Amino acid sequence: MPSPLSDTDRQINSAAAMDNSFMLPLRPPVDKRDHKDTLPVRIAQINTQRGSFRNVTEQSLQAEIDCQKEKGDVSDDEGGETKPTEVDATEHLELLYKRRAEIMQSAVQAHMEATFALDFLSLLLSKHVPRQADLSMSAQLKQAIPHGSLNAEVVKARQSSESAKQDTSAVSRGWKLESFNAAANKLLKSAKRLENEVSAETKYWIEVLRVKEKGWKVCRLPKERQALGVQFGFLEATPVFRDRGLASLRRVDDGSLILDRGIAPARPRVLRVRVKKDGLITGCSELSRFMAGNGNSIEDRILQARDTLFEDELFHELSREARIMGNMGVRTRQNLIEFEFGKGEEVMFDMVDLDEIFTQVDSDTRSYGHGVTANAVAYGIRILLMYAHRQNLRRRKQTPPPLSPKKRPLPEYLLLRPVAAYLQHNFHVRSLDSFLGEVYQILRSAGLECGYTTGTFSSIKFAPKSDTASTTECLVEGFLAPLESSFSGTIVTTASTFSVKIRTNLSPPSPGTEYEFSINLPDFPHTQPPSRMGLKDEVETFIIHLITLNLTSSISTITSQKSRAPSDGSSLTAPRPSRKLLEWEAPFANYGELLAVSRISGRTKKLSISLSRDELTIRTKWKSAYSEPSKPITGRRPEPQPLSYTWKSTDESGKKLKLSDVVLEASKDSR
Amino acid sequence: MDSQPTSKILHNRINTNISQLLQRFENIMATAAVLTIPFPLLCKKGIENPSYAATAIETYQLDVESTALIRAAEDILSLTRTMKETWLFGKLDTLGEDERDIKCREKLEGDALTIKKTIEESGVWDAAK
């Protein structure tokens, strides 16, 4: 308290002195004390005048001194000492250290004095409040002096003079007013602040409640106990993605929510499926279905975050599976997975950014027929991923296997394999179907009665709903087994039949499509189909071969029948019953060739059958008896032209001659 | 605080805070009242502060009381937040399903059944023959 007193004292006195117009001052002149103020006083002065010592720099002091010098003030003794320009650099440093040591000493001294004061007071209090005094007494004092050895009594206060009393009361009144003002201000300010806080909190909680009502799981964050977070990820995903599914709801100053996703706020990306045929993109999946809109509400942001996380996980699992499917022709790059499933048809998976999602170029979406496929594949892999999640949940619910030091890796989800299997199977089935359809069309237009039946995808069985598996799971499970389809048909004669079973496996030991044949040809009992055919072309060749075999045998039976029974139904034969018919034999049935020896001329006639997907052709040719073409054959009747007849698949039924007629025509014997 | 506070603790806290608010305010008024006591007798006498020390003490006390008042109010605010969180998390049932999940699941089952029937009837695939 000494400094305010001395300040005010000096001020009042100087004011009084100036107002007084007496020649002789009544009050003793105030002279500056000879000794400077003690260091504590000066420190306190500097503190009050300039804030703290931090604000006192050499430059500021020097500036002040210069100002004073300019004003022509009375000599300041201290000015000379602290002129830094006269002092050398090293001496300056030493001076600094010296002063610092002095300051430290004063501080230590002050600390000691304060400790003494504390001890004194606690000793005093130890009489009245022993327990509290104990807390504040230092250990030394406790040992040295017993409790309660100091006492204090109230002594009648010395009456201070009136002016002093007035002084005191005036100053204290001023203080009190000031402190009341300060308290009132503080209270008002904090009231306003608290009001803002309350409104912000209300807004925050309204939003949080709204989020919770939509069904999202709101929880406390494990790291920060004060913040709330929302869980939008999938609990069954791999741990990487499960942890990324937690975001904290933070409050901005005015109360609105921010979704804080942590380190990886990825841009929204969607997995895109494209179908390519011969280098041209013919189909593309719809992307906007899988990503929530771009709205600003917290709900939209959560949905978008969840969708992005799902798509990321999808691509991650797909590439994981594609890596083990390398032997089946799946190629992976950093952002692309592609595989081929048919003749020149490819499926590509890649990730696409948000901007492209909503402004999809129209030329891509105008599908050239494969848009449906692309969409179906896109939906399919997502459903399969959710099914894999359910499998994870089921596996977690079961009792765990016995502990072993080997860590069991998680098997890759079945995402790409079922899709690839289905597409491949479909491709094979449809191509075989169309092939058989065309061939049988040709045969029917040639008048042969034959037909075939199909049983496509006959292996898909849906297990009924049980306790452990819901309907959706049964539905999906039906597609995860190896796919099978079967075809069976009659070849030319009803006695000979064949049946093909196509099976597509998803995984080793034999991934891919296989064809299994079983045939029943009574005319060629020793013909066996090759086992395990896998290529579509081989199968087609084999079927043609079968049919050719059967045709040869049937042709030979036609003529033998006709020649054996000329009496019945002879309207078909030529009106000259005297002409004999050739009898065909098939020594080279495998090549589709029949030979007949003419009884009249002794020459051999060759009949060859060629069957392909587009047409069936029968050609006949007389083989010359002598193999000397150079020898002129004179005197003979001109040879009849070689006969050739074709049935095409585009022929309308009924327009062309039947096979039997053509054969009969060809079997006419002639010289 | 992981354990949810019991209702007894919360009640105590509420009571403490309210009483604190009132008490502090009363103290502030008491400090002010030293200066202006409404009794007419004492007014004449003009009780004044005997020393600066007493005034300083009263100033300090005023400061302390007002700060404590603010603190009590903030404590009530944090109390409401705790209560909100407790109420929010009391309704969480992480493993079981609430009506929303049940509805979703039933809708899913219905859709799956429809699809299954469509596949079996349409004959596009001769499934389950």
Side-chain angles (χ1 to χ4, degrees):
Chain A
M1 305 301 174
S3 68
L5 180 58
S6 52
D7 265 349
T8 43
D9 217 349
R10 234 180 273 149
Q11 277 168 19
I12 291 175
N13 285 338
S14 59
M18 282 211 269
D19 276 343
N20 226 342
S21 47
F22 276 35
M23 293 320 242
L24 216 60
L26 288 180
R27 293 179 197 234
V30 176
D31 50 351
K32 277 214 173 127
R33 303 188 193 145
D34 287 327
H35 50 273
K36 295 173 264 188
D37 293 319
T38 57
L39 191 56
V41 173
R42 282 169 74 189
I43 290 178
Q45 257 180 353
I46 294 174
N47 268 339
T48 43
Q49 280 173 3
R50 299 186 204 199
S52 77
F53 271 101
R54 265 196 238 151
N55 302 341
V56 177
T57 60
E58 277 192 41
Q59 287 82 9
S60 66
L61 282 177
Q62 191 58 30
E64 279 186 36
I65 292 172
D66 290 335
C67 269
Q68 279 187 345
K69 282 272 159 67
E70 274 173 33
K71 276 191 201 156
D73 225 1
V74 189
S75 65
D76 241 39
D77 297 354
E78 300 106 11
E81 289 172 20
T82 52
K83 266 206 186 133
T85 48
E86 291 182 356
V87 182
D88 222 15
T90 45
E91 284 186 28
H92 187 58
L93 208 58
E94 281 177 17
L95 207 62
L96 191 65
Y97 287 148
K98 243 197 296 178
R99 297 289 158 90
R100 184 169 163 271
E102 281 177 22
I103 292 177
M104 289 283 286
Q105 210 185 5
S106 318
V108 167
Q109 203 175 351
H111 176 73
M112 274 184 2
E113 306 234 358
T115 325
F116 287 153
L118 182 62
D119 280 342
F120 169 64
L121 280 178
S122 25
L123 189 56
L124 190 60
L125 286 176
S126 60
K127 184 162 168 52
H128 305 280
V129 200
R131 239 178 296 128
Q132 269 180 334
D134 255 346
L135 289 172
S136 47
M137 266 211 273
S138 70
Q140 290 171 328
L141 194 63
K142 271 188 223 168
Q143 287 166 1
I145 304 178
H147 281 223
S149 30
L150 202 59
N151 197 2
E153 279 178 13
V154 179
V155 168
K156 187 153 189 255
R158 179 174 61 90
Q159 289 294 335
S160 43
S161 62
E162 267 305 312
S163 62
K165 273 199 206 158
Q166 270 177 14
D167 244 358
T168 329
S169 63
V171 168
S172 57
R173 212 170 281 145
W175 264 356
K176 285 204 121 172
L177 280 176
E178 213 178 284
S179 66
F180 275 128
N181 270 338
N185 282 341
K186 198 158 53 159
L187 283 177
L188 283 175
K189 220 171 32 168
S190 57
K192 207 162 63 155
R193 184 174 56 87
L194 282 177
E195 206 181 312
N196 287 343
E197 280 275 324
V198 165
S199 67
E201 280 275 322
T202 322
K203 225 164 123 186
Y204 177 76
W205 280 94
I206 288 178
E207 298 261 338
V208 167
L209 273 183
R210 206 187 311 152
V211 164
K212 181 159 196 273
E213 269 160 26
K214 286 282 168 72
W216 300 105
K217 290 205 182 88
V218 181
C219 58
R220 261 189 226 142
L221 292 182
K223 299 272 171 56
E224 305 174 20
R225 267 190 264 115
Q226 283 79 35
L228 292 175
V230 64
Q231 166 121 40
F232 56 84
F234 297 93
L235 290 174
E236 311 305 327
T238 48
V240 174
F241 291 98
R242 189 176 50 210
D243 297 336
R244 270 163 63 171
L246 187 65
S248 67
L249 296 167
R250 287 196 198 285
R251 192 189 77 182
V252 164
D253 279 336
D254 63 342
S256 52
L257 280 184
I258 287 190
L259 196 70
D260 181 8
R261 286 180 63 189
I263 311 178
R267 300 188 46 164
R269 298 203 302 174
V270 167
L271 187 80
R272 171 172 68 167
V273 179
R274 281 185 295 183
V275 180
K276 202 156 78 159
K277 188 175 171 76
D278 301 328
L280 259 185
I281 297 194
T282 52
C284 183
S285 61
E286 276 176 25
L287 298 178
S288 48
R289 289 277 191 100
F290 299 119
M291 177 63 71
N294 227 350
N296 253 340
S297 74
I298 198 81
E299 171 77 23
D300 286 333
R301 267 177 271 152
I302 297 180
L303 278 176
Q304 218 178 50
R306 184 193 67 177
D307 291 337
T308 310
L309 193 65
F310 187 68
E311 301 291 320
D312 276 340
E313 194 193 344
L314 190 60
F315 190 70
H316 178 258
E317 295 296 335
L318 267 182
S319 40
R320 206 166 144 229
E321 199 188 349
R323 255 182 266 146
I324 65 168
M325 277 179 73
N327 62 344
M328 293 187 243
V330 176
R331 296 188 295 281
T332 55
R333 287 197 227 318
Q334 193 222 353
N335 193 24
L336 179 68
I337 301 173
E338 55 184 4
F339 70 93
E340 203 177 291
F341 67 90
K343 269 271 153 40
E345 290 161 350
E346 286 183 3
V347 172
M348 304 194 318
F349 299 92
D350 61 346
M351 298 288 282
V352 174
D353 266 345
L354 177 65
D355 314 321
E356 290 190 38
I357 297 174
F358 293 110
T359 64
Q360 215 175 10
V361 183
D362 265 334
S363 63
D364 262 350
T365 56
R366 205 171 302 132
S367 69
Y368 298 96
H370 280 136
V372 177
T373 314
N375 265 333
V377 169
Y379 279 112
I381 48 177
R382 285 172 175 86
I383 293 178
L384 283 169
L385 182 64
M386 301 307 299
Y387 178 75
H389 280 174
R390 280 205 197 206
Q391 293 293 87
N392 277 348
L393 179 63
R394 206 194 287 184
R395 198 183 313 129
R396 280 204 308 164
K397 275 197 203 164
Q398 289 170 346
T399 51
L403 294 175
S404 76
K406 255 192 296 182
K407 215 174 87 141
R408 287 231 210 125
L410 197 66
E412 282 86 0
Y413 299 157
L414 278 175
L415 298 174
L416 204 51
R417 280 169 285 187
V419 167
Y422 175 80
L423 289 173
Q424 209 182 47
H425 193 87
N426 201 24
F427 170 72
H428 281 266
V429 162
R430 300 281 169 232
S431 78
L432 189 61
D433 198 21
S434 71
F435 172 76
L436 283 178
E438 285 182 5
V439 167
Y440 273 77
Q441 173 79 6
I442 294 176
L443 292 178
R444 266 193 284 265
S445 72
L448 297 163
E449 289 175 12
C450 47
Y452 70 99
T453 55
T454 64
T456 47
F457 289 100
S458 49
S459 67
I460 297 184
K461 285 190 215 346
F462 298 125
K465 185 174 154 187
S466 68
D467 277 337
T468 48
S470 61
T471 319
T472 24
E473 289 175 11
C474 299
L475 193 65
V476 177
E477 262 173 27
F479 288 96
L480 294 182
L483 300 165
E484 253 188 41
S485 311
S486 60
F487 291 80
S488 61
T490 61
I491 317 176
V492 184
T493 54
T494 36
S496 18
T497 56
F498 78 99
S499 79
V500 188
K501 231 193 276 193
I502 311 179
R503 186 182 302 126
T504 309
N505 283 325
L506 276 73
S507 49
S510 52
T513 315
E514 275 181 354
Y515 292 82
E516 248 183 65
F517 267 96
S518 69
I519 56 178
N520 180 14
L521 292 175
D523 300 323
F524 303 93
H526 299 294
T527 315
Q528 292 287 335
S531 59
R532 288 184 170 250
M533 280 192 280
L535 293 178
K536 180 174 69 113
D537 301 328
E538 280 178 13
V539 169
E540 291 174 358
T541 318
F542 183 68
I543 290 181
I544 287 180
H545 183 79
L546 281 182
I547 298 182
T548 316
L549 276 181
N550 223 353
L551 276 177
T552 52
S553 64
S554 74
I555 284 175
S556 41
T557 53
I558 286 175
T559 49
S560 56
Q561 269 176 7
K562 284 300 167 200
S563 53
R564 259 183 244 129
S567 50
D568 57 30
S570 46
S571 54
L572 283 172
T573 58
R576 303 172 214 173
S578 59
R579 190 127 354 146
K580 289 280 173 87
L581 290 169
L582 293 171
E583 294 213 355
W584 296 98
E585 285 168 1
F588 307 115
N590 281 320
Y591 293 102
E593 285 181 355
L594 297 126
L595 292 175
V597 177
S598 160
R599 279 185 222 113
I600 302 176
S601 54
R603 286 188 304 165
T604 47
K605 192 170 186 188
K606 184 172 86 160
L607 183 116
S608 64
I609 307 172
S610 80
L611 174 65
S612 78
R613 190 183 181 140
D614 306 315
E615 58 184 20
L616 166 67
T617 311
I618 289 194
R619 266 189 223 98
T620 59
K621 201 164 110 169
W622 283 106
K623 270 183 148 173
S624 52
Y626 306 105
S627 52
E628 295 162 9
S630 55
K631 188 167 177 190
I633 302 171
T634 55
R636 284 183 183 265
R637 215 171 286 162
E639 295 183 8
Q641 296 298 322
L643 188 66
S644 160
Y645 204 76
T646 311
W647 290 269
K648 286 215 174 39
S649 59
T650 47
D651 293 340
E652 293 163 14
S653 58
K655 285 284 176 69
K656 294 262 196 166
L657 297 173
K658 289 169 71 158
L659 177 70
S660 35
D661 301 339
V662 175
V663 167
L664 287 172
E665 178 71 30
S667 328
K668 285 186 201 146
D669 205 351
S670 65
R671 271 175 290 118
Chain B
M1 271 185 303
D2 278 337
S3 66
Q4 310 291 0
T6 63
S7 66
K8 188 153 173 263
I9 294 180
L10 289 175
H11 271 121
N12 283 346
R13 241 175 102 181
I14 294 174
N15 289 337
T16 319
N17 277 330
I18 293 180
S19 63
Q20 283 257 307
L21 276 175
L22 293 174
Q23 183 69 35
R24 299 294 181 182
F25 194 64
E26 196 187 312
N27 288 349
I28 292 180
M29 290 303 122
T31 319
V34 172
L35 191 52
T36 57
I37 296 185
F39 298 138
L41 285 174
L42 293 174
C43 253
K44 248 194 248 171
K45 235 185 174 179
I47 292 212
E48 56 212 40
N49 283 322
S51 69
Y52 288 123
T55 318
I57 290 173
E58 280 173 8
T59 313
Y60 177 69
Q61 179 151 5
L62 213 54
D63 213 0
V64 163
E65 301 286 341
S66 56
T67 315
L69 188 71
I70 296 171
R71 201 200 61 80
E74 285 179 354
D75 198 34
I76 292 188
L77 185 64
S78 73
L79 183 81
T80 54
R81 189 187 167 116
T82 316
M83 280 169 56
K84 281 176 192 163
E85 283 191 4
T86 314
W87 174 78
L88 186 71
F89 293 134
K91 296 248 176 94
L92 265 192
D93 192 6
T94 49
L95 276 187
E97 293 181 335
D98 48 353
E99 349 86 39
R100 169 181 304 275
D101 284 340
I102 292 178
K103 259 192 291 185
C104 272
R105 188 164 47 87
E106 284 178 1
K107 186 160 173 287
L108 188 62
E109 297 274 310
D111 288 342
L113 268 175
T114 322
I115 294 179
K116 193 165 152 184
K117 250 189 286 184
T118 320
I119 291 179
E120 283 167 2
E121 288 168 8
S122 74
V124 170
W125 301 326
D126 310 315
K129 243 200 214 167

